[in-house]
Amino acid sequence: MKQDSNHTDTRPWWKEPWPWILMAGPFITLVGCAVTIVLAVHYYSDQAIHDGGQRKGLVVQKIQDAPLPEMDAKNTSAETAADNRRQMP
């Protein structure tokens, strides 16, 4: 006698949707990481160092005797605001 109830239709794993759905998340993350790295290298790799450091290859070293950068004219600290109020008639 044949038992048809024990016969199951098995398909290869690559024809099932669940493995592809589960692999989509890490794959999208890898693509996003690659895009972020490319954009960072392309747009921000040649930025100047403004905090008294010196770049030697990939290493940035802090120089002890370097002068601090001057403040911008757009400084809106409390002291500057108070000075401006005193000067107004």
Side-chain angles (χ1 to χ4, degrees), residues 42-89:
H42 181 46
Y43 288 111
Y44 298 107
S45 64
D46 293 334
Q47 284 191 344
I49 301 169
H50 297 291
D51 64 349
Q54 183 178 12
R55 183 174 181 178
K56 293 181 181 177
L58 296 176
V59 178
V60 177
Q61 294 177 344
K62 181 90 171 169
I63 300 173
Q64 298 298 330
D65 297 332
L68 295 175
E70 295 181 16
M71 294 293 180
D72 293 333
K74 298 177 183 179
N75 187 358
T76 57
S77 66
E79 293 174 5
T80 306
D83 290 342
N84 289 339
R85 280 190 222 121
R86 284 186 218 132
Q87 292 174 357
M88 295 178 81

Side-chain angles (χ1 to χ4, degrees), residues 3-59:
Q3 293 181 351
D4 290 331
S5 62
N6 289 340
H7 179 64
T8 58
D9 185 27
T10 58
R11 296 175 15 186
W13 69 268
W14 62 86
K15 291 186 179 181
E16 296 290 333
W18 289 110
W20 298 108
I21 292 171
L22 293 174
M23 287 186 283
F27 179 73
I28 291 170
T29 304
L30 289 173
V31 170
C33 182
V35 168
T36 302
I37 290 171
V38 167
L39 290 175
V41 168
H42 181 46
Y43 288 111
Y44 298 107
S45 64
D46 293 334
Q47 284 191 344
I49 301 169
H50 297 291
D51 64 349
Q54 183 178 12
R55 183 174 181 178
K56 293 181 181 177
L58 296 176
V59 178

